Amino acid sequence: MAENLRSSVVTQGVQRSPNRAMLRAVGFGDDDFSKPIVGIANAYSTITPCNVGLDLLARRAETAIRRAGAMPQLFGTITVSDGISMGTEGMKYSLVSREVIADSIETACNAQAMDGAVVIGGCDKNMPGAMIAIARMNIPAMFVYGGTIKPGHYNGRDLTIVSAFEAVGQYSAHKIDEKELLEVERRACPGAGSCGGMYTANTMSSAIEAMGMSLPYSSTMAAEDDEKGVSAAETAAAVVEAIRNRRLPREVMTRKAFENAIAVVMAVGGSTNAVLHLLAIAHAAEVPLVIDDFEEIRQRVPVLCDLKPSGRYVATDLHRVGGIPQVMKMLLNHGLIHGDVMTMTGKTIAETLREVPDAPPKNQDVIRPWDNPLYPQGHLAILKGNLSPEGCVAKITGIAHRSITGPARVFEREEDSLEAILAGRIKKGDIVVIRYEGPKGGPGMREMLSPTSAIIGAGLGDSVGLITDGRFSGGTYGLVVGHVAPEAQVGGLIALVHEGDSITIDADRRILQLNLPDDEIARRRAAWTPPKPRYTRGVLAKYAAQVSSSSLGAVTD
């Protein structure tokens, strides 16, 4: 077997003896050189609760790889905490970290000629970063999700990290006192795991499971539960089997697999970031996927799950009633996903779901019955118009009003908008415009959880619109539109909006429009000059020079 594996250490004889000597120093014996080498990319850190438990999973995977007859090689990759950096300059590094993660995994695995990989991650960018790397390398590999956090509790309600952000807005609007603000903060994150609602981490873990690149049920397990360690070990063994059977990720990550992932994202009410990340992963896998595909699938897939941020439940509740396999079985029965898609385990989606019940359990309403969905169509709408001819993304569920026309309140950066919201300067009917926060302009396309949560906390969620060339946290909801493209930095129309201009957001007609005559727009465009880059050295400068439009996934290659 070894002669066809990428490591091929034993077959290259005396010429490779220095390489063998190096491997002996890290634990290889004479019999180990004929075994496949499996990298374990470990995003463990104490930076964020999402990743604090990953080292235990990596060790479980390491043991399982040895037992399966392969040789593990453990290496680290980075993470940043979106929740900690949110609302600060540090948030500009969040999306950049997706590329750093992908590049580091690709570099380590290809430099050491590893035969396969188990990638373990928790926080938001770990997952798309891992999948971009896996798609590029195309060696047998699977993803292990670190697991979701369990909800906090206060005054009879479940709390998540978004509860803390919204409490700031409630406090500023004098709806709660300082004591309650502190109590929410103390209880919002009770332990290890990624943010508990159907925010970006749980959305992407669900999408990866739907694609067949992680094990069934693994995307909604709690980080602190024993089954998460068992799943990590089973994933590692499955990767060794995939190596022996020459099963490659690009055989799994097909156009049909991406369509399945998008359908599941719609059904569970997932994050707007799924659009950005799935486009980027498809680019890495060389699968044709465009932003309009999300709108086409949205129109035929209902929202089945009542999950935070706009709903009531968290990911552990979804897991308790059947998880992603239950959602997928319902979609499969109604012809909305492809059952013939192969998974990395060697089974098709239909085979994987064979024993899953056709309907969710009774006496629960986390997953709604097929004939009584939460919404008849998906929640992530692709809007177009003169403000975003390349397309932008709106989350249109959980809001009372799906259209608004109002005066623009223009801000050149996130911090200025947040200050205005907390000071009570944003009124009903306003449309907040936050620009120069796109992939190039930010750079890094910050998430706007702080201003959107402040709007919700102030009780303006149904009466104030917000548009940005930045993006949103998976915890965002309300009448908000992100990923506006082209972005301001490259001369998109959002750069030409003036304070008080009339803007229309219409989710039903899928329109984002600046209500100005063409000759006025032309006059403003002739007078516009691009601002100087905010960074001229370092990783942010390199990113800004390379990154594509958000409508293409903000890819850098």
Side-chain angles (χ1 to χ4, degrees), residues 121-144:
C123 202
D124 293 6
K125 307 312 172 296
N126 296 181
M127 282 158 280
M131 295 303 293
I132 288 168
I134 289 170
R136 285 181 191 165
M137 298 184 301
N138 200 33
I139 60 174
M142 293 181 71
F143 182 75
V144 174

Side-chain angles (χ1 to χ4, degrees), residues 450-465:
S450 294
T452 57
S453 295
I455 288 170
I456 296 294
L460 298 171
D462 288 326
S463 58
V464 168

Side-chain angles (χ1 to χ4, degrees), residues 415-432:
E415 290 88 345
D416 296 338
S417 71
L418 179 61
E419 180 183 351
I421 296 163
L422 294 179
R425 298 200 303 270
I426 302 301
K427 307 299 182 182
K428 290 183 178 182
D430 286 346
I431 295 183
V432 176

Side-chain angles (χ1 to χ4, degrees), residues 11 16 92 101 111 159 271 295 311 336 432 462 493 516 539:
T11 66
R16 298 293 283 174
K92 293 181 177 181
I101 292 164
L159 300 179
S271 166
E295 178 60 33
L336 293 176
V432 176
D462 288 326
L493 188 57
L516 283 180
V539 67

Side-chain angles (χ1 to χ4, degrees), residues 49-50 83 149-153 159-165 183-196 224:
C50 315
I149 197 171
K150 293 179 179 180
H153 302 283
L159 300 179
T160 68
I161 184 59
V162 175
S163 306
F165 281 91
E183 293 300 327
V184 171
E185 176 208 307
R186 285 172 171 162
R187 291 167 169 78
C189 297
S194 298
C195 298
E224 296 179 330

